[in-house]
């Protein structure tokens, strides 16, 4: 918008595997950018990781304290209800046949990004993997 001579192309991923690969990279390396910048750029990038964290804490905690399974089921139910609601909103605008694909896509996006963001925090913040690389990190293959 500000520089009309800039050309940008958007490539929608044509498979769930490519979508998973893309959001794995997004989540994983978003935590590296936070390390390099020295701060988290926004709460929005933390939401999937916090969601995955609370699910893991609740499911593991329920091993020792059984009632936590109800909180786990409540959180999953809220997520699925919101997912279906927003997917339905989009599908009604575009095409209702997309509803199951949208629900599944959002699940893949949120869980993949969240899990890999946590993996990146572990690798880059705790293990400091980025400091131990002696050679240039090769570019990752495109996800399209």
């Amino acid at each position: 918008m500000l520089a009309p001579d800039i050309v940008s192309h958007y490539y929608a991923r044509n498979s769930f595997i490519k979508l998973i690969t893309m959001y794995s990279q997004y989540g994983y390396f978003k935590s590296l950018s936070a390390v390099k910048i020295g701060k988290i750029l926004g709460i929005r990038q933390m939401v999937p990781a916090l969601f995955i964290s609370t699910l893991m804490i609740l499911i593991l905690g329920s091993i020792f304290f059984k009632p936590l399974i109800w909180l786990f089921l409540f959180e999953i139910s809220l997520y699925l209800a919101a997912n279906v609601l927003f997917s339905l909103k989009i599908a009604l605008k575009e095409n209702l046949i997309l509803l199951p694909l949208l629900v599944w896509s959002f699940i893949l996006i949120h869980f993949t990004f969240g899990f890999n963001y946590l993996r990146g925090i572990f690798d880059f913040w705790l293990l400091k993997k980025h400091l131990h690389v002696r050679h240039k990190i090769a570019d990752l293959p495109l996800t399209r």
Side-chain angles (χ1 to χ4, degrees), residues 79-131:
Y79 172 78
L80 290 174
N83 183 343
V84 170
L85 182 69
F86 283 98
S87 296
L88 183 60
K89 184 178 176 183
I90 295 168
L92 287 171
K93 278 188 206 173
E94 301 297 327
N95 188 338
L96 204 51
I97 201 160
L98 296 174
L99 181 61
L101 296 173
L102 288 165
V103 170
W104 185 237
S105 295
F106 286 135
I107 289 171
L108 292 177
I109 287 168
H110 296 138
F111 279 78
T112 302
F113 184 94
F115 175 78
N116 284 287
Y117 191 89
L118 293 173
R119 201 183 85 180
I121 287 173
F122 182 77
D123 284 351
F124 301 126
W125 290 33
L126 299 176
L127 297 181
K128 306 215 181 287
K129 272 189 176 180
H130 61 291
L131 299 177

Side-chain angles (χ1 to χ4, degrees), residues 131-144:
L131 299 177
H132 305 316
V133 178
R134 296 185 193 279
H135 59 281
K136 184 179 178 192
I137 298 174
D139 289 336
L140 293 172
L142 293 175
T143 59
R144 55 184 146 103

Side-chain angles (χ1 to χ4, degrees), residues 14-140:
N14 61 3
S15 76
F16 287 127
I17 296 298
K18 289 180 181 180
L19 184 70
I20 289 169
T21 303
M22 180 176 76
Y23 276 90
S24 293
Q25 292 172 2
Y26 281 1
Y28 188 69
F29 290 108
K30 183 64 80 169
S31 58
L32 177 60
S33 2
V35 169
K36 290 191 175 260
I37 293 170
K39 67 179 181 175
I40 295 169
L41 298 175
I43 192 67
R44 196 177 96 185
Q45 69 188 9
M46 292 295 300
V47 172
L50 291 171
F51 174 59
I52 298 299
S53 296
T54 58
L55 289 178
M56 290 189 313
I57 289 167
L58 289 172
I59 202 73
L60 290 173
S62 70
I63 294 169
F64 305 104
F65 186 64
K66 298 292 181 205
L68 287 179
I69 195 71
W70 294 108
L71 282 174
F72 172 82
L73 293 172
F74 179 70
E75 185 176 359
I76 284 286
S77 298
L78 279 178
Y79 172 78
L80 290 174
N83 183 343
V84 170
L85 182 69
F86 283 98
S87 296
L88 183 60
K89 184 178 176 183
I90 295 168
L92 287 171
K93 278 188 206 173
E94 301 297 327
N95 188 338
L96 204 51
I97 201 160
L98 296 174
L99 181 61
L101 296 173
L102 288 165
V103 170
W104 185 237
S105 295
F106 286 135
I107 289 171
L108 292 177
I109 287 168
H110 296 138
F111 279 78
T112 302
F113 184 94
F115 175 78
N116 284 287
Y117 191 89
L118 293 173
R119 201 183 85 180
I121 287 173
F122 182 77
D123 284 351
F124 301 126
W125 290 33
L126 299 176
L127 297 181
K128 306 215 181 287
K129 272 189 176 180
H130 61 291
L131 299 177
H132 305 316
V133 178
R134 296 185 193 279
H135 59 281
K136 184 179 178 192
I137 298 174
D139 289 336
L140 293 172

